[in-house]
């Protein structure tokens, strides 16, 4: 597919980092249980908790953030979107909050908890769920999300309503498959209220061993949650399945396919060259077939939403951009912003646009 067979430097660095985390997991297994007991004792004594002006209602959003340099405008926009869709935000911050942060959160939250950054996102999710149960809060719908993505991109986004209407116990945006394990990407869960009292749901969160090793957070948290839901017979699924993307590509006419290819976000130089050549190649009776075949080959290794952002955003209304600094996410953001600048995609909310541009400059 045009690749040289040489492992890209960024991918090698990622694998070396992952290997290092795996090595650290061995000694960490000895002290983590003690750290968790100390953390739980502190949680029982009470972490800083403040009450905001949003009233508790039948829909709650547990929103995790880690923004040690102050809350970003886009995070406040996320909370505003939740409030306008009748969710009471319970903010769990893994970093201390300033007086200015508290003032901003007052008008956009039901409650705010400040906790140490132990366990990353799943640690915050676990503590938030434990407190909701301790407080006797039993919402009809619980959304769990974190600030590793910009969400939503556009103010009229309907993702929350789609999740509520889905015939699923737990809905996410994307369902991933690793070996025999299916799991939802963990930056967005929408959960039916009765699931919160399901023995398997409670057992997973009560038994979750917290860790600050990202490798183990993914395995125990993101993948472990998928395993627990499947074993319990609880239904989970994506709001944006691969089949929906495939159908959109099948429906796309030649101009749409050329546009999708022109704004592809590919990190392999060989794939980039092939995609660019296809986007401008003269039309013949086989062109569309070749374009669709190329897209299918790319998706053997890549995710549709990041590799082909115009198809995801314009044809599927995919509602997020990831903030990660990894090359895949950086290429995704660059292609997305280029499509916005060229008028191919509608401009997202101003806070998202400004922060995405800053991230591309390496300043956020």
């Amino acid at each position: 597919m045009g690749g040289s067979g040489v492992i890209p430097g960024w991918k090698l660095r990622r694998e070396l980092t992952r290997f290092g985390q795996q090595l650290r997991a061995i000694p960490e297994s000895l002290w983590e249980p003690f750290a968790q007991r100390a953390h739980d004792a502190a949680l029982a004594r009470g972490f800083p908790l403040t009450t905001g002006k949003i009233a508790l209602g039948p829909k709650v959003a547990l929103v995790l953030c880690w923004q040690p340099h102050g809350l970003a405008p886009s995070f406040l926009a996320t909370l505003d979107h939740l409030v306008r869709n009748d969710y009471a935000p319970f903010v769990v911050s893994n970093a201390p909050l300033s007086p200015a942060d508290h003032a901003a959160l007052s008008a956009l939250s039901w409650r705010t908890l400040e906790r140490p950054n132990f366990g990353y996102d799943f640690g915050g999710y676990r503590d938030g769920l434990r407190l909701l149960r301790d407080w006797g809060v039993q919402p009809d719908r619980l959304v769990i999300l974190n600030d590793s993505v910009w969400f939503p991109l556009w103010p009229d986004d309907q993702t929350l309503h789609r999740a509520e209407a889905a015939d699923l116990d737990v809905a996410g945006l994307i369902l991933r498959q690793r070996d025999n394990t299916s799991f939802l990407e963990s930056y967005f869960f929408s959960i039916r209220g009765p699931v919160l009292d399901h023995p398997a749901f409670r057992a997973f969160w009560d038994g979750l061993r917290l860790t600050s090793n990202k490798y183990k957070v993914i395995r125990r948290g993101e993948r472990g949650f998928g395993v627990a839901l499947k074993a319990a017979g609880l239904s989970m699924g994506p709001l944006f399945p691969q089949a929906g993307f495939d159908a959109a590509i099948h429906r796309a006419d030649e101009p749409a396919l050329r546009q999708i290819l022109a704004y592809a976000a590919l990190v392999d130089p060989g794939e980039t060259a092939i995609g660019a050549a296809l986007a401008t190649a003269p039309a013949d009776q086989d062109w569309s077939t070749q374009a669709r075949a190329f897209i299918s080959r790319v998706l053997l290794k890549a995710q549709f939403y990041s590799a082909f952002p115009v198809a995801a955003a314009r044809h599927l209304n995919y509602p997020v951009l990831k903030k990660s600094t990894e090359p895949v996410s950086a290429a995704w953001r660059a292609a997305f912003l280029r499509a916005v600048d060229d008028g191919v995609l509608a401009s997202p909310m101003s806070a998202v646009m400004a922060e995405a541009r800053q991230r591309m400059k390496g300043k956020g």
Side-chain angles (χ1 to χ4, degrees):
M1 194 162 57
S4 64
V6 177
I7 300 175
W10 67 267
K11 186 173 291 188
L12 180 60
R13 289 191 294 272
R14 185 185 66 184
E15 293 306 313
L16 289 173
T17 298
R18 184 176 298 164
F19 181 65
Q21 291 171 345
Q22 291 172 331
L23 289 179
R24 289 196 301 273
I26 299 171
E28 286 169 350
S29 64
L30 299 176
W31 61 261
E32 281 175 347
F34 297 99
Q36 181 155 337
R37 283 197 289 272
H39 175 86
D40 286 348
L43 177 64
R45 290 192 299 270
F47 291 131
L49 183 71
T50 55
T51 299
K53 297 178 181 178
I54 301 301
L56 179 64
K59 297 193 292 187
V60 172
L62 196 169
V63 191
L64 184 120
C65 66
W66 185 77
Q67 301 191 16
H69 304 298
L71 296 179
S74 66
F75 182 74
L76 301 178
T78 295
L79 298 181
D80 179 68
H81 179 75
L82 291 164
V83 170
R84 287 188 289 105
N85 283 276
D86 301 319
Y87 282 84
F90 173 27
V91 176
V92 176
S93 176
N94 279 0
L97 297 169
S98 70
D101 291 336
H102 280 292
L105 288 173
S106 176
L108 293 169
S109 67
W110 165 59
R111 287 180 178 172
T112 296
L113 177 77
E114 296 170 76
R115 67 183 294 278
N117 191 20
F118 179 42
Y120 293 109
D121 51 353
F122 271 84
Y125 293 170
R126 168 192 176 270
D127 288 357
L129 288 167
R130 179 168 292 189
L131 289 176
L132 288 175
R133 192 169 70 197
D134 290 347
W135 297 332
V137 175
Q138 182 68 35
D140 295 337
R141 172 70 54 170
L142 177 70
V143 163
I144 299 177
L145 66 159
N146 67 47
D147 65 343
S148 66
V149 298
W150 286 289
F151 168 81
L153 299 179
W154 297 280
D156 58 350
D157 182 78
Q158 297 298 305
T159 302
L160 295 169
H161 297 300
R162 288 183 59 182
E164 293 165 13
D167 187 20
L168 295 165
D169 291 315
V170 181
L173 298 190
I174 297 293
L175 185 70
R176 299 286 293 275
Q177 184 78 30
R178 289 290 177 87
D179 300 323
N180 295 320
T181 302
S182 299
F183 57 94
L184 296 166
E185 293 192 343
S186 61
Y187 47 82
F188 181 97
F189 301 127
S190 181
I191 305 168
R192 286 175 172 166
V195 173
L196 303 177
D197 275 335
H198 193 286
F201 183 91
R202 296 180 63 159
F204 170 78
W205 291 102
D206 287 346
L208 181 62
R209 290 174 55 200
L210 298 188
T211 176
S212 290
N213 182 308
K214 290 187 178 181
Y215 169 78
K216 290 192 289 186
V217 169
I218 292 171
R219 294 187 68 85
R220 294 177 186 173
E222 190 172 61
R223 298 184 195 176
F225 189 40
V227 170
L229 292 173
K230 183 177 180 180
L234 293 168
S235 60
M236 65 174 176
L239 300 177
F240 299 90
Q242 176 75 46
F245 176 84
D246 293 342
I249 294 300
H250 180 74
R251 291 193 303 267
D253 58 15
E254 180 190 319
L257 286 172
R258 288 185 183 276
Q259 191 177 74
I260 289 166
L261 291 175
Y263 295 93
L266 308 176
V267 295
D268 180 275
E271 291 177 343
T272 301
I274 294 172
L278 266 175
T280 58
D284 59 35
Q285 62 182 2
D286 295 326
W287 185 89
S288 293
T289 299
Q290 293 175 28
R292 293 188 178 98
F294 171 73
I295 291 170
S296 296
R297 290 198 305 272
V298 168
L299 296 183
L300 294 174
K301 298 180 180 179
Q303 301 300 315
F304 72 81
Y305 58 80
S306 58
F308 300 104
V310 164
R314 184 168 184 174
H315 297 272
L316 300 176
N317 297 315
Y318 190 67
V320 307
L321 273 176
K322 285 188 178 179
K323 300 177 182 178
S324 169
T325 58
E326 283 198 344
V328 169
S329 294
W332 172 13
R333 287 193 299 273
F336 180 93
L337 292 174
R338 186 162 55 89
V340 170
D341 290 341
D342 291 348
V344 173
L345 292 178
S347 182
M349 292 189 291
S350 59
V352 172
M353 193 69 174
E355 292 168 27
R357 288 198 189 281
Q358 285 296 102
R359 186 63 58 97
M360 293 303 301
K361 296 176 182 178
K363 298 179 180 180

